Amino acid sequence: PFDATKVFISEVLMADGSRKPIENIHIGDIVLAKNGTARPVVDSYEYPCSGDIIKLHIAGNNIPLRVTPGHMIWAIRGYGKKRPTTKVQRERSILYDQSKLEYIAAGDLQPGDIVTYPRLRPDSNKYNDTIDLAAFVRADKHPHIKITDTDISSPVSSLPRYISVRSIARLVGYYVAEGGTVCDSKGTKGIHFTLGNSKATAQDDLLDILTTVLPKASVGVDLTRKNANRINVFSVVLAEFFETQFGSSPTEKRIPEFLLHAPDDVIWDFLDAAFMGDGGRTVPRRLDYSTASDTLASQMELLIRRLGFISQIQFHEPPASNPEWSPRYRIYISGAQIDRFVRHLRLISQLV
């Protein structure tokens, strides 16, 4: 039993792919509607309620959806407790017939019913392929940086002023998976990528991207680590750009909204590098991605589903032997769809 005047239950999926406790939603916030489009909140209200909390356990997901019994769920009536036969499984086009969608009270849902999730509809107005790195230079903090119409230069590196999202999609994938910000002994900021010794293909790909996209950047490779190599790119401008747009620490990693609305080929490049850095095929017929960021986990699910694939998510507490570790989220793509998914991933397809 609970008192809903004191306990809030649901999280709401925002338009940027993050999730927000319902009690923190305010008028004007932009949420993702059931049809996959962004909509502003126009009103909110509170009402007293007491009773039992309904826990909905979704197939392949160990994070239950906790709602009140009267909470309406956009769903399709399934086959009850009867386990679907092979023939029924082949008739998914009938099982997932959108004309059968209806609002069903959470307390009336039965095992076998199909609950739905929004599939993001990309908005081309939210995507601009050109990034002006000069926007991330603060004259009061970086007086030594010189900006021209084509370049941004400092005593340690030179960068093109304008870069395309398409050209750095893979770089961003590696960053959210295995990257962060760094500062050398002289106080020079930059970004780093730490890749295990077993990920030679990813290291070669990353260095090739840096050479092609940022040919005049100050790049160094640290080979002194026991089980991994660290690639450093020293540039305060890159550090500011990646930190503000994608986060710095593992628990802060995120995807900016403009990337969520990028063309499909850009998304596939991003996912290929992200899976190369923090994912892989752990068991037959399953590809997984792991992150300590709840926001990034939610956004990765949104991207994968935007592309037309079904993903599942698992939450894992730190092991008892290392309680100081951060909790992890694992997103899985499994079953027959995995071959179709992997075909779009240039490097992953070669390894699995």
Side-chain angles (χ1 to χ4, degrees), residues 166-179 193-195 199 201-203 205-207 209 259 265-280 287-290 296 300 341-342 344-349 351:
R166 179 172 271 102
S167 71
I168 64 166
R170 300 185 66 82
L171 187 66
V172 170
Y174 285 121
Y175 180 85
V176 298
E178 298 287 7
F193 306 85
T194 304
L195 295 165
K199 297 181 178 181
T201 300
Q203 293 178 38
D205 183 45
L206 177 56
L207 288 171
I209 295 167
L259 186 56
D265 63 313
V266 176
I267 298 300
W268 283 117
D269 267 351
F270 165 78
L271 289 176
D272 190 23
F275 273 90
M276 286 292 292
D278 245 347
L287 188 70
D288 76 277
Y289 179 82
S290 173
L296 181 58
M300 290 291 282
F341 184 83
V342 167
H344 294 276
L345 305 176
R346 179 171 60 87
L347 292 185
I348 288 289
S349 62
L351 301 178

Side-chain angles (χ1 to χ4, degrees), residues 142-183:
H142 314 126
H144 59 287
I145 293 178
K146 297 180 180 180
I147 302 174
T148 69
D149 291 339
T150 58
D151 299 290
I152 299 178
S153 58
S154 71
V156 297
S157 67
S158 178
L159 305 173
R161 174 172 174 174
Y162 298 98
I163 56 175
S164 72
V165 176
R166 179 172 271 102
S167 71
I168 64 166
R170 300 185 66 82
L171 187 66
V172 170
Y174 285 121
Y175 180 85
V176 298
E178 298 287 7
T181 55
V182 65
C183 191

Side-chain angles (χ1 to χ4, degrees), residues 275-296:
F275 273 90
M276 286 292 292
D278 245 347
R281 183 173 287 186
T282 54
V283 298
R285 311 298 294 172
R286 190 177 79 185
L287 188 70
D288 76 277
Y289 179 82
S290 173
T291 178
S293 168
D294 56 347
T295 295
L296 181 58

Side-chain angles (χ1 to χ4, degrees), residues 67-300:
V67 294
T68 55
H71 189 91
M72 303 305 291
I73 304 291
W74 194 231
I76 300 173
R77 292 288 186 187
Y79 293 88
K81 295 183 178 180
K82 181 180 178 182
R83 183 179 178 85
T85 65
T86 302
K87 181 179 179 180
V88 170
Q89 291 173 343
R90 289 197 298 265
E91 296 175 346
R92 289 181 177 177
S93 61
I94 298 174
L95 184 63
Y96 300 143
D97 184 352
Q98 294 188 29
S99 67
K100 297 180 179 179
L101 279 165
E102 59 179 308
Y103 278 113
I104 304 173
D108 295 332
L109 286 171
Q110 300 294 321
D113 289 347
I114 309 299
V115 297
T116 63
Y117 52 81
R119 181 176 176 182
L120 178 67
R121 294 186 181 183
D123 183 349
S124 59
N125 293 322
K126 295 181 179 180
Y127 175 74
N128 185 342
D129 191 60
T130 302
I131 297 172
D132 183 1
L133 290 178
F136 301 92
V137 178
R138 289 181 50 182
D140 58 330
K141 290 180 62 177
H142 314 126
H144 59 287
I145 293 178
K146 297 180 180 180
I147 302 174
T148 69
D149 291 339
T150 58
D151 299 290
I152 299 178
S153 58
S154 71
V156 297
S157 67
S158 178
L159 305 173
R161 174 172 174 174
Y162 298 98
I163 56 175
S164 72
V165 176
R166 179 172 271 102
S167 71
I168 64 166
R170 300 185 66 82
L171 187 66
V172 170
Y174 285 121
Y175 180 85
V176 298
E178 298 287 7
T181 55
V182 65
C183 191
D184 68 8
S185 58
K186 297 180 180 179
T188 304
K189 288 187 67 176
I191 58 175
H192 72 81
F193 306 85
T194 304
L195 295 165
N197 293 335
S198 62
K199 297 181 178 181
T201 300
Q203 293 178 38
D204 291 343
D205 183 45
L206 177 56
L207 288 171
D208 183 60
I209 295 167
L210 292 171
T211 301
T212 303
V213 180
L214 306 171
K216 297 181 180 179
S218 175
V219 178
V221 181
D222 180 0
L223 303 177
T224 62
R225 295 169 177 266
K226 182 177 180 181
N227 298 315
N229 296 328
R230 172 169 285 190
I231 298 172
N232 298 312
V233 187
F234 289 105
S235 165
V236 66
V237 179
L238 282 182
E240 293 286 343
F241 170 64
F242 276 89
E243 187 170 13
T244 57
Q245 298 299 303
F246 307 100
S248 178
S249 71
T251 58
E252 296 174 336
K253 293 295 178 58
R254 60 188 178 274
I255 301 169
E257 193 171 16
F258 69 79
L259 186 56
L260 294 176
H261 294 272
D264 286 359
D265 63 313
V266 176
I267 298 300
W268 283 117
D269 267 351
F270 165 78
L271 289 176
D272 190 23
F275 273 90
M276 286 292 292
D278 245 347
R281 183 173 287 186
T282 54
V283 298
R285 311 298 294 172
R286 190 177 79 185
L287 188 70
D288 76 277
Y289 179 82
S290 173
T291 178
S293 168
D294 56 347
T295 295
L296 181 58
S298 179
Q299 292 176 320
M300 290 291 282

